Amino acid sequence: MDWIERIAGIRRWTRGGERAPHKPLLLLYVLGRFQQDGNRPIPFSAAEAELRKLLKEYGPPRDTSPGYPFHHLTSDGLWLVDTEDGPGSPGPELGRLRASGASGRLHPDLARAMSEEPGLVARIARFLLDANFAPSLHADLCLLTGLDLETLETGGQTRTSATARRDRAFRERVLMAYEYRCAFCAYDGWLDGSAVGLDAAHVRWWAFDGPDDLGNGLCLCAIHHKLFDKGVLGLSHERTVTVSARFVGRSAAARELVLSLAGRPAQDPQAGLDAVEPRHIAWHGRQVFRTPARLP
């Protein structure tokens, strides 16, 4: 059985070309849970808040209930819902899902195939991401759903242990610590109640033993995160922003967004919360930042 074809054929609500990624978002969430816990039943009461957040941030602008994909995915032969009274979904209404103690799990045939076929989870996840979301959203989606594609695609040969997992709470901890503002430029955009264009950047990269700790995190806007990871921007031991002398930008935008940052103090986290540790700043300076630094 070709499970990718089965997943490509899931039935979706359509009207005038509107996006309807509700079932793909549920599947990505379930794949993350499968990677961590196998095919244990997922109570709706445990999934509701996380599905609501995913639908709000990555679904279409109109509001959608998390009960919609939890119930309707059962029609595609990939997902089973049971209640305290027996098999079968009680419907998409939130009250009935909660009151009935509804829980969901992958169809046993799909779960068995993913357990027996190395790489199938990653291939399904990549298909769902590519078919439904812009590439710039993939990393955050994996983090929020608990999917560690790097480990899945390399057979667990990343990090120091195959059991290492990304901390899904890292992003929220870092953004909260910096009060949802870029530590370099103070950008603080929101859309419909959610921060937009802000990332939790690892100073020492996670792939190179950088922990998911506040002392290794910076809240950065998307452009400064990219430039930080490319070595255009860095941090001094005094926590001022460094700009690589190798960077060339002649436009007013380049001067304002990048060159003007040289020597500017980076924002500190809220009082009482951990600032970036010197050892992680030193690693980034040795391994990522493109020396020399420009003079302020």
Side-chain angles (χ1 to χ4, degrees):
M1 181 179 296
D2 190 327
W3 287 104
I4 302 295
E5 287 188 8
R6 286 281 301 274
I7 288 168
I10 61 176
R11 291 187 284 275
R12 305 185 196 180
W13 179 91
T14 59
R15 184 179 66 190
E18 291 187 33
R19 291 193 306 120
H22 314 92
K23 291 179 181 179
L25 283 169
L26 172 59
L27 280 170
L28 287 168
Y29 169 75
V30 172
L31 291 177
R33 292 289 296 261
F34 182 87
Q35 186 181 7
Q36 298 174 44
D37 302 321
N39 199 29
R40 295 180 184 175
I42 302 172
F44 180 73
S45 59
E48 180 180 357
E50 293 182 81
L51 284 176
R52 190 182 301 279
K53 180 177 178 63
L54 286 166
L55 288 165
K56 183 175 183 178
E57 292 202 32
Y58 298 100
R62 58 185 172 80
D63 289 336
T64 303
S65 165
Y68 176 89
F70 202 91
H71 164 74
H72 285 290
L73 188 61
T74 59
S75 66
D76 297 288
L78 305 168
W79 177 247
L80 304 176
V81 173
D82 301 316
T83 69
E84 293 173 349
D85 296 325
S89 172
E93 293 83 5
L94 296 180
R96 294 175 66 182
L97 286 165
R98 294 168 184 155
S100 64
S103 62
R105 56 192 170 91
L106 291 170
H107 191 286
D109 291 344
L110 175 55
R112 187 179 308 111
M114 293 196 304
S115 296
E116 295 175 352
E117 183 181 339
L120 181 57
V121 175
R123 290 197 294 113
I124 291 173
R126 286 291 182 198
F127 172 82
L128 290 168
L129 290 167
D130 291 339
N132 295 280
F133 306 99
S136 62
L137 303 178
H138 292 185
D140 281 348
L141 271 166
C142 286
L143 186 60
L144 287 176
T145 56
L147 266 169
D148 180 4
L149 286 187
E150 185 179 22
T151 296
L152 288 168
E153 291 175 333
T154 58
Q157 299 304 309
T158 57
R159 300 285 303 223
T160 56
S161 168
T163 61
R165 292 280 186 265
R166 297 292 296 270
D167 184 349
R168 296 165 63 187
F170 174 72
R171 178 179 183 269
E172 185 60 28
R173 284 201 307 270
V174 171
L175 268 59
M176 179 274 295
Y178 286 85
E179 299 182 285
Y180 302 91
R181 290 200 304 268
C182 175
F184 289 178
C185 71
Y187 166 83
D188 60 353
W190 286 71
L191 176 68
D192 293 335
S194 297
V196 62
L198 288 170
D199 299 334
H202 286 80
V203 179
R204 183 186 183 108
W205 294 354
W206 190 87
F208 290 87
D209 299 319
D212 283 336
D213 295 337
L214 194 53
N216 188 41
L218 276 175
C219 178
L220 296 178
C221 67
I223 188 169
H224 288 144
H225 187 184
K226 176 71 73 173
L227 296 177
F228 188 69
D229 285 349
K230 292 290 288 184
V232 172
L233 300 176
L235 276 178
S236 72
H237 289 294
E238 293 76 26
R239 295 191 179 85
T240 61
V241 182
T242 54
V243 179
S244 173
R246 303 186 191 188
F247 174 79
V248 176
R250 300 180 179 87
S251 67
R255 290 194 299 271
E256 181 179 351
L257 292 173
V258 183
L259 298 175
S260 67
L261 296 178
R264 180 184 299 182
Q267 177 186 329
D268 288 326
Q270 296 185 45
L273 299 180
D274 294 335
V276 180
E277 296 180 18
R279 61 193 177 104
H280 299 317
I281 294 174
W283 182 90
H284 187 274
R286 292 192 309 269
Q287 301 295 331
V288 181
F289 184 68
R290 303 298 182 93
T291 55
R294 286 177 175 267
L295 294 176

